[in-house]
């Protein structure tokens, strides 16, 4: 089974980690809070796969590089990565991209972007670190909102995790979870 990487996997992407472990994969999970990582390991103990907790602050690019290199050395090349990296993370996407590109094996990269990526007036969700990588296929998932008769609301963690899993299952290069148009309908307007 595959070695998967989920950066930011103890929050809204927790359900993605659980499903990947249930499918038998080795799932390396990056987050800072050790208790939440331990809880994820505990909750997947009976799965055929395994969660490999990586407690590191991705703002520390050297530490991120070191820990991911260790994980690749122990668990093998990463063939699927799901990245939820906040915008102020400096070169964290670049660190991940370079490591994946150094592998001989191909990697599917699913880059999860917050709703501001759908704002036509803003330039966010920089995919440049992942462009022109020989060994990676880049997929972009934008998180939107839901509209009902009482107005609009942001997505729940379960909706986000399911939307990301659907994008992976269907190998979508561009996916939107929920809706992003018209942008004026987003919550809080
Ligand atoms: N369109 C939408 O509807 C939408 C879009 C985005 C978010 N949301 C909602 O907003 C909630 C909060 O968003 P959130 O961004 O806090 O997402 P989150 O997924 O709940 O938490 C962020 C994840 O990234 C990790 N993380 C954060 N900073 C890190 C760092 N410097 N180094 C390593 N790991 C780091 C966190 O673990 P640690 O804190 O332990 O490091 C956690 O695993 C989400 O749960 C979601 O429901 C909704």
């Amino acid at each position: 089974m595959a070695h998967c990487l989920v950066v930011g996997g103890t929050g809204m992407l927790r359900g993605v980690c659980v499903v990947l472990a249930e499918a038998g994969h080795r799932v390396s999970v990056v987050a800072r809070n050790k208790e939440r990582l331990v809880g994820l390991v505990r909750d997947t103990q009976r799965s055929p796969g395994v969660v490999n907790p990586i407690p590191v602050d991705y703002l520390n690019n050297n530490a991120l590089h070191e820990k991911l290199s260790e994980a690749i050395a122990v668990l093998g090349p990463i063939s699927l990565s799901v990245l939820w990296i906040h915008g102020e993370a400096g070169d964290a996407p670049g660190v991940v991209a370079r490591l994946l590109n150094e592998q001989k094996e191909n990697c599917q990269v699913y880059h999860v972007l917050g709703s501001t990526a759908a704002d036509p007036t803003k330039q966010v969700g920089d995919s440049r670190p992942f462009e022109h990588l020989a060994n990676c296929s880049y997929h972009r998932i934008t998180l939107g909102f839901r509209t009902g008769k009482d107005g609009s609301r942001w997505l729940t963690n379960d909706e986000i995790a399911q939307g990301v899993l659907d994008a992976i299952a269907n190998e979508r290069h561009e996916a939107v979870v929920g809706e992003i148009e018209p942008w004026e309908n987003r919550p809080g307007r």
Side-chain angles (χ1 to χ4, degrees), residues 89-100:
D91 194 33
V95 170
V96 175
R98 285 190 290 278
L99 273 170
L100 296 178

Side-chain angles (χ1 to χ4, degrees), residues 7-13 30-33 36 56-59 84 86 114-115 143-145 154-157 160:
V7 177
T10 56
M12 65 193 194
L13 296 182
V30 168
R32 293 163 299 182
N33 184 296
R36 290 211 290 172
V56 67
D57 185 338
Y58 55 54
L59 299 179
W84 172 234
H86 290 152
S115 308
L143 304 177
F145 50 86
W154 296 115
L155 303 168
T156 65
N157 284 0
I160 291 169

Side-chain angles (χ1 to χ4, degrees), residues 122-184:
K122 293 200 175 128
Q123 281 270 316
V124 295
D126 192 355
S127 61
R128 274 175 296 183
F130 303 98
E131 285 167 6
H132 313 301
L133 299 184
N135 298 328
C136 297
S137 300
Y138 181 74
H139 309 255
R140 187 179 150 111
I141 303 173
T142 304
L143 304 177
F145 50 86
R146 294 256 187 244
T147 309
K149 58 178 169 29
D150 297 325
S152 62
R153 62 165 178 81
W154 296 115
L155 303 168
T156 65
N157 284 0
D158 284 349
E159 288 169 341
I160 291 169
Q162 192 52 57
V164 170
L165 288 165
D166 287 346
I168 295 170
N170 294 301
E171 299 179 10
R172 299 277 304 280
H173 282 287
E174 278 282 344
V176 173
V177 185
E179 54 203 90
I180 54 174
E181 287 175 343
W183 177 241
E184 293 71 39

Side-chain angles (χ1 to χ4, degrees), residues 5-14 17 27-38 40 51-59 64 67-68 82 84-85:
L5 168 68
V6 183
V7 177
T10 56
M12 65 193 194
L13 296 182
R14 193 181 198 276
C17 301
V27 190
S28 288
V29 181
V30 168
R32 293 163 299 182
N33 184 296
K34 288 186 184 164
E35 284 73 33
R36 290 211 290 172
L37 281 165
V38 168
L40 179 56
V51 166
N52 170 42
I54 304 183
V56 67
D57 185 338
Y58 55 54
L59 299 179
L64 179 66
K67 297 287 181 193
L68 291 183
V82 183
W84 172 234
I85 300 174

